């Protein structure tokens, strides 16, 4: 089973993120955009495992209270076959604490956790190639400042069903 731990969004946040994607699509020659139902913020990517109970235990052991998360910058990770466009997350001590606690518990349970620094972001699209003259047209003016009250984190299962990637919440930890 392919797993990750995430913060899921309500309909309002998903609608706002979809508006950003629609604006970006106007200037896109090609790319794959995240489907509305799959919009989320990954905290920890776990990957393929059958140790679901160990992941649940790690989630249950974290110590955190509800917090407010701010999403507001448009950015990209440059890639050879097209860029990954994302919305950035403002630095948040509680989010980083949850990440650190989870990775510590998961590592102690034998999971191999990515060693690169945690850069929280919401992926909008992959393999995006923009029109040549679009650079000045995509600006922060078209990017909303989003505030989210985070009261839970979710264990998500990722699977391909009928050629489509589907994320399913299989466990929840209330903060």
């Amino acid at each position: 089973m392919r797993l990750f731990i995430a913060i899921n969004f309500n309909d309002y946040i998903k609608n706002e993120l979809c508006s950003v994607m629609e604006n970006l699509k106007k200037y896109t020659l090609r790319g794959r955009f995240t489907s509305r139902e799959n919009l989320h913020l990954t905290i920890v990517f776990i990957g393929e495992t059958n140790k679901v109970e160990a992941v649940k235990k790690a989630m249950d052991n974290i110590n955190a209270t509800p917090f407010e998360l701010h999403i507001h910058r448009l950015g990209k990770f440059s890639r050879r076959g097209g860029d990954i466009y994302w919305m950035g997350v403002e630095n948040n001590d509680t989010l980083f604490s949850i990440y650190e606690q989870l990775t510590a518990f998961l590592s102690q349970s034998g999971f191999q956790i990515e060693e690169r620094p945690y850069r929280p972001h919401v992926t909008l699209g992959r393999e995006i190639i923009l029109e040549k003259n679009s650079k000045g047209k995509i600006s922060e003016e078209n990017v909303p400042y989003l505030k989210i009250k985070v009261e839970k984190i979710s264990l998500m299962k990722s699977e391909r069903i009928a050629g489509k990637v589907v994320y399913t919440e299989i466990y929840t930890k209330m903060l």
Side-chain angles (χ1 to χ4, degrees):
M1 192 176 320
R2 189 173 177 88
L3 302 176
F4 61 94
I5 300 170
I7 295 170
N8 289 319
F9 302 133
N10 62 31
D11 286 336
Y12 172 77
I13 298 298
K14 287 181 180 182
N15 289 342
E16 291 294 312
L17 293 169
C18 284
S19 292
V20 174
M21 287 190 289
E22 288 304 315
N23 186 52
L24 189 57
K25 284 178 185 178
K26 293 176 192 173
Y27 307 104
T28 300
L29 293 174
R30 73 173 178 119
R32 295 180 298 118
F33 285 88
T34 303
S35 64
R36 182 185 186 285
E37 60 271 11
N38 286 351
L39 288 166
H40 69 279
L41 172 69
T42 299
I43 302 173
V44 178
F45 177 75
I46 297 164
E48 291 292 334
T49 186
N50 59 2
K51 299 179 355 181
V52 176
E53 293 306 315
V55 178
K56 290 178 182 179
K57 185 175 180 182
M59 291 173 68
D60 287 340
N61 281 317
I62 67 165
N63 181 21
T65 58
F67 64 99
E68 191 169 87
L69 189 67
H70 300 170
I71 300 174
H72 59 89
R73 293 175 290 110
L74 183 64
K76 70 176 181 175
F77 298 129
S78 296
R79 299 289 192 266
R80 185 174 304 177
D83 300 330
I84 297 173
Y85 274 82
W86 47 262
M87 289 277 297
V89 175
E90 198 169 274
N91 283 341
N92 185 291
D93 291 340
T94 304
L95 176 62
F96 276 90
S97 174
I98 291 170
Y99 168 79
E100 289 168 359
Q101 290 177 65
L102 284 170
T103 56
F105 285 124
L106 291 167
S107 293
Q108 290 170 5
S109 299
F111 289 91
Q112 298 294 316
I113 304 299
E114 291 180 334
E115 292 188 19
R116 61 182 169 186
Y118 181 49
R119 294 180 61 186
H121 63 278
V122 180
T123 301
L124 301 177
R126 293 176 170 79
E127 299 173 359
I128 305 295
I129 296 183
L130 298 179
E131 297 170 348
K132 289 196 186 299
N133 298 325
S134 63
K135 200 167 206 165
K137 298 174 185 172
I138 300 170
S139 70
E140 292 296 319
E141 299 166 10
N142 302 323
V143 178
Y145 189 94
L146 303 173
K147 295 179 183 180
I148 305 160
K149 180 74 171 180
V150 179
E151 299 178 313
K152 68 177 185 167
I153 59 173
S154 302
L155 178 58
M156 305 297 291
K157 174 176 69 169
S158 173
E159 57 192 335
R160 190 168 288 278
I161 300 173
K164 184 177 175 186
V165 176
V166 176
Y167 299 152
T168 307
E169 183 179 70
I170 60 173
Y171 187 71
T172 299
K173 160 68 174 166
M174 298 304 293
L175 302 178

